[in-house]
Amino acid sequence: MHAARALAIVCWLGALSCLVITGAGIWADRSAPGATVVAILSTDGLPRVWAASIAGALALVTCAALVELARMLRRVTPDALFSSAITRHFRRFAALLMAAAVLRVLLPAVATLWLASQSGAGSAQLTFSGDDLLSLLPVAVFFFVARLFDEAARLEDDQRSIV
């Protein structure tokens, strides 16, 4: 139970650091003298404003996912390891993480296509990294785990009703 509380704090810190680091990458002055740590926004060929918007959206969704995980961990008790509240928060965590993974793949492509159409270009080059597509697999596993949590909650309720 103490471990769950500690992990919840780590999730909150992770959510906060996700926002801070992304914000630093978006708004930091890379030319500042004496900077020891610099966050750099990778634009992958997109205009900086578009890349910053995409990075901000991804950071917000990822932050929301970590907050849901923290909320789930706060509800863990020895008596209710698989309560409906816990599984609901875990399902939201998995859904938000899936949204972040899908947005990570789709938003740059949509921005590239839109910019190409606005510039009158007859074609656009889209590049997808295997890492981006591979990131969808662990998220799919989280949905499977959420389903297992639901089944465990049902079995826990059945066990309590028998006793």
Side-chain angles (χ1 to χ4, degrees):
M1 186 149 118
H2 293 291
R5 301 266 188 256
L7 286 173
I9 292 169
V10 169
C11 288
W12 280 105
L13 292 173
L16 179 63
S17 65
C18 179
L19 291 177
V20 168
I21 291 170
T22 303
I26 292 171
W27 291 294
D29 181 12
R30 292 180 290 191
S31 63
T36 56
V37 177
V38 178
I40 299 173
L41 176 67
S42 174
T43 62
D44 291 331
L46 289 173
R48 185 166 174 76
V49 172
W50 284 85
S53 299
I54 291 170
L58 292 175
L60 287 174
V61 174
T62 303
C63 178
L66 289 171
V67 167
E68 281 301 321
L69 185 60
R71 292 176 70 195
M72 179 204 84
L73 290 168
R74 281 288 196 196
R75 287 180 167 42
V76 171
T77 62
D79 297 338
L81 291 175
F82 301 106
S83 69
S84 62
I86 289 173
T87 59
R88 181 177 56 248
H89 286 295
F90 189 80
R91 204 175 306 109
R92 286 181 192 158
F93 162 72
L96 287 166
L97 212 54
M98 177 62 88
V102 169
L103 289 174
R104 171 73 178 96
V105 173
L106 292 181
L107 285 180
V110 168
T112 300
L113 290 174
W114 192 83
L115 289 169
S117 71
Q118 293 301 309
S119 69
S123 65
Q125 181 179 357
L126 298 178
T127 305
F128 293 100
S129 167
D131 293 343
D132 293 340
L133 298 176
L134 193 60
S135 68
L136 296 172
L137 291 178
V139 176
V141 170
F142 286 141
F143 277 107
F144 176 69
V145 170
R147 180 65 190 119
L148 289 176
F149 277 2
D150 288 337
E151 186 62 22
R154 188 189 64 75
L155 291 173
E156 189 176 62
D157 288 342
D158 287 350
Q159 181 185 16
R160 285 191 182 142
S161 67
I162 292 172
V163 175

